[in-house]
Amino acid sequence: KSFSIGTALMVDDWYERLGLNDIIGRHKSKGIALDALVRGMLVDQLGDNFSVLQASAWLNRKEVRDHYGIRAFNSKTLYRAVEMLGRNRERIVRELQDSVLELLERPKTDVLLDWTSIVYYGDMAKLAKYGYSRDHHPGERQLTLGAAQLAPPYDVPIGLTIEAGNINDQAHMKATYGQVRRLLEPGSLVVFDRGANDKSNLNRIELDGNDHLTAKKLNSSDDAVFQAFDPERWECIDAVLGVYALKRTFPRRVNYYFYYFFSEKLKKDHLKSRRRKAERLLAEAIAIQNSLDKGKKLPKRFRINNPLVDVRYDYQTKLVEIDEEEALRLLMADVIEGREGCFYLTSSRDMPAAEALRIYRSKDAIEKLFHSLKSEVEIKPVRVWTEDAVHGVLLVGFIAQLMISLTRFFVKPV
């Protein structure tokens, strides 16, 4: 890979404006300057998939060493630098947060929280666990990442937490919110999705004097509200998409506001998804029936393939009694829940339903942040062998993403 002087100069500029010379440089006093190594890693991170070994080879190229004024070094030097960042991550993130807010003139703004997972290649870091993979690699160990981002129009990340790969969002939120709560002005709105919604998290936000806005899983009492849906009585907040809202408050829940939404477009999307599921189930049933009719073994995906497990089973489908059209109707009746197009939000802040929906939809900004981290900065997969190194390489990726976000905010054409 060639040395991009443009990217190097951009990194150098943000490195100085954020005061990273003091924030990071102080953690290493001997040998090759930590600042030079981190600057080089950031340039490499913004230009290619990050691997400490590959970054070491790239940094040792003459034109790169000349730019940073460093001598040739062994790859172990860079691994030690990454671990040093990981060991000092809490102080680095805290000071970096203050620097970012100072650069943005300390705006009083809301914050968005979200969580994702990334693949970890290896088995030495204790954080690597098997869990629900949002990275579409259920067979691999993983880590979970939590991120905090200033709400639009800033869209600048200010927090990053790393937890074990099997931790759920409700537990992880305690760390993510805990990392940024000191930065929030009283009355700030904390926006997150339903996965992290539990009583202890809501109480903690309220005790800090802040407000929350989140989605909530539907239950049977909510079904009664949606069954009574009447477009004449509900507020139409988007005629094009057919979005209607009903705002309710409950006397026993002081300062809690519930926003029920029904979307015609969302209902159509849900029904299409349900039909695809029904068609997939029908295709599986047809494959099983064809095997039974021909006296063949079932396709592998329907069998237990373990030589130590002796299984005797019989399959019988309803396809011998009904045609495919009737089968599809039966499957559709089974997969349709009756909640298609329905959802609701809850908040401790009183606001119009249209505003609550607009703010919650702004959470898309942090989902784009994760997409950028994974697809543009390419923090995945993680390929280091100690817990400190895991935190270190992900911190480098976070700082690289921060520089991208700040550039997008300050440089309008970008």
Side-chain angles (χ1 to χ4, degrees), residues 191-254:
V191 185
F192 53 96
D193 63 22
R194 74 191 68 191
N197 183 350
D198 75 355
K199 189 174 181 180
S200 64
N201 288 330
L202 301 185
N203 288 343
R204 189 181 187 193
I205 293 171
E206 292 175 23
L207 286 172
D208 287 341
N210 296 319
D211 291 317
H212 54 75
L213 174 65
T214 182
K216 200 169 186 301
K217 187 177 181 180
L218 298 176
N219 56 37
S220 56
S221 63
D222 302 318
D223 290 339
V225 176
F226 287 111
Q227 286 168 7
F229 167 72
D230 181 353
E232 299 297 325
R233 294 177 56 241
W234 287 42
E235 176 190 3
C236 179
I237 60 176
D238 190 330
V240 176
L241 299 179
V243 181
Y244 297 84
L246 176 67
K247 178 181 175 182
R248 298 181 66 184
T249 59
F250 293 88
R252 295 182 182 179
R253 304 291 296 277
V254 179

Side-chain angles (χ1 to χ4, degrees), residues 98-273:
D98 292 334
S99 180
V100 170
L101 292 181
E102 195 68 33
L103 195 64
L104 295 171
E105 299 180 345
R106 296 198 171 273
K108 181 182 182 298
T109 185
D110 301 332
V111 65
L112 314 176
L113 307 181
D114 205 356
W115 299 267
T116 190
S117 60
I118 58 170
V119 172
Y120 172 84
Y121 284 167
D123 56 6
M124 297 180 70
K126 293 180 181 179
L127 288 171
K129 302 287 184 183
Y130 292 106
Y132 172 66
S133 177
R134 284 162 283 198
D135 215 17
H136 308 295
H137 291 279
E140 302 286 350
R141 287 182 176 85
Q142 64 181 28
L143 311 166
T144 57
L145 268 63
Q149 179 167 293
L150 297 180
Y154 300 98
D155 293 333
V156 172
I158 58 167
L160 177 74
T161 54
I162 299 129
E163 296 286 347
N166 59 357
I167 195 172
N168 62 40
D169 290 353
Q170 291 179 352
H172 197 157
M173 179 175 174
K174 293 173 174 56
T176 308
Y177 175 69
Q179 191 182 69
V180 299
R181 60 197 289 252
R182 71 181 185 89
L183 307 172
L184 303 179
E185 295 286 340
S188 294
L189 187 66
V190 183
V191 185
F192 53 96
D193 63 22
R194 74 191 68 191
N197 183 350
D198 75 355
K199 189 174 181 180
S200 64
N201 288 330
L202 301 185
N203 288 343
R204 189 181 187 193
I205 293 171
E206 292 175 23
L207 286 172
D208 287 341
N210 296 319
D211 291 317
H212 54 75
L213 174 65
T214 182
K216 200 169 186 301
K217 187 177 181 180
L218 298 176
N219 56 37
S220 56
S221 63
D222 302 318
D223 290 339
V225 176
F226 287 111
Q227 286 168 7
F229 167 72
D230 181 353
E232 299 297 325
R233 294 177 56 241
W234 287 42
E235 176 190 3
C236 179
I237 60 176
D238 190 330
V240 176
L241 299 179
V243 181
Y244 297 84
L246 176 67
K247 178 181 175 182
R248 298 181 66 184
T249 59
F250 293 88
R252 295 182 182 179
R253 304 291 296 277
V254 179
N255 295 332
Y256 269 63
Y257 304 91
F258 294 81
Y259 305 89
Y260 293 86
F261 296 93
F262 171 75
S263 168
E264 292 175 351
K265 180 181 182 301
L266 185 61
K267 181 177 181 178
K268 291 178 182 177
D269 292 342
H270 282 169
L271 288 176
K272 287 179 182 178
S273 174

